[in-house]
């Protein structure tokens, strides 16, 4: 899931620490959400959006791809029969 939190924070003139103070979430957690390292729960996403005063659709963008998949999987061939493991 991508986020637009960087732009929203910039437009408001807020830092991650300010958003952290207003939501009660750790600044490190805000950073991981902002950089798309983790996907927040619905409750947490709503908390962030309420503090920013924006709808969820404006702050978060859904991507239709499996979690944790960043590249094509590698399946080495077995030498005895050429079948993938």
């Amino acid at each position: 899931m991508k986020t637009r939190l960087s732009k929203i924070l910039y437009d408001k003139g807020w830092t991650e620490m300010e958003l952290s103070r207003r939501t009660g979430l750790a600044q490190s957690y805000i950073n991981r959400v902002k950089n798309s390292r983790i996907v927040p729960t619905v409750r947490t996403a709503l908390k962030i959006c309420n503090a920013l005063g924006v709808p969820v659709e404006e702050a978060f963008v859904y991507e239709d791809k499996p979690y944790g998949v960043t590249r094509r999987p590698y399946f080495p061939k077995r030498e005895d029969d050429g079948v993938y493991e």
Side-chain angles (χ1 to χ4, degrees):
M1 178 178 296
K2 289 186 175 182
T3 71
R4 295 186 182 121
L5 293 179
S6 293
K7 182 178 180 342
I8 295 168
L9 288 172
Y10 178 80
D11 291 346
K12 288 189 168 290
W14 290 8
T15 62
E16 291 174 5
M17 190 56 74
E18 177 65 20
L19 182 57
S20 171
R21 187 183 68 74
R22 291 175 184 247
T23 60
L25 301 168
Q27 184 268 333
S28 59
Y29 184 84
I30 299 286
N31 180 272
R32 289 184 305 213
V33 171
K34 184 179 91 171
N35 292 313
S36 301
R37 293 204 172 116
I38 59 171
V39 177
T41 63
V42 172
R43 180 183 223 157
T44 302
L46 288 171
K47 186 183 283 190
I48 291 169
C49 291
N50 285 337
L52 291 169
V54 298
V56 174
E57 301 83 27
E58 187 178 324
F60 296 96
V61 180
Y62 174 74
E63 289 183 309
D64 191 21
K65 69 179 186 180
Y67 291 108
V69 175
T70 57
R71 63 175 189 250
R72 293 184 61 207
Y74 172 70
F75 297 105
K77 288 185 179 181
R78 292 192 336 217
E79 296 202 19
D80 56 340
D81 60 4
V83 176
Y84 291 101
E85 292 181 334

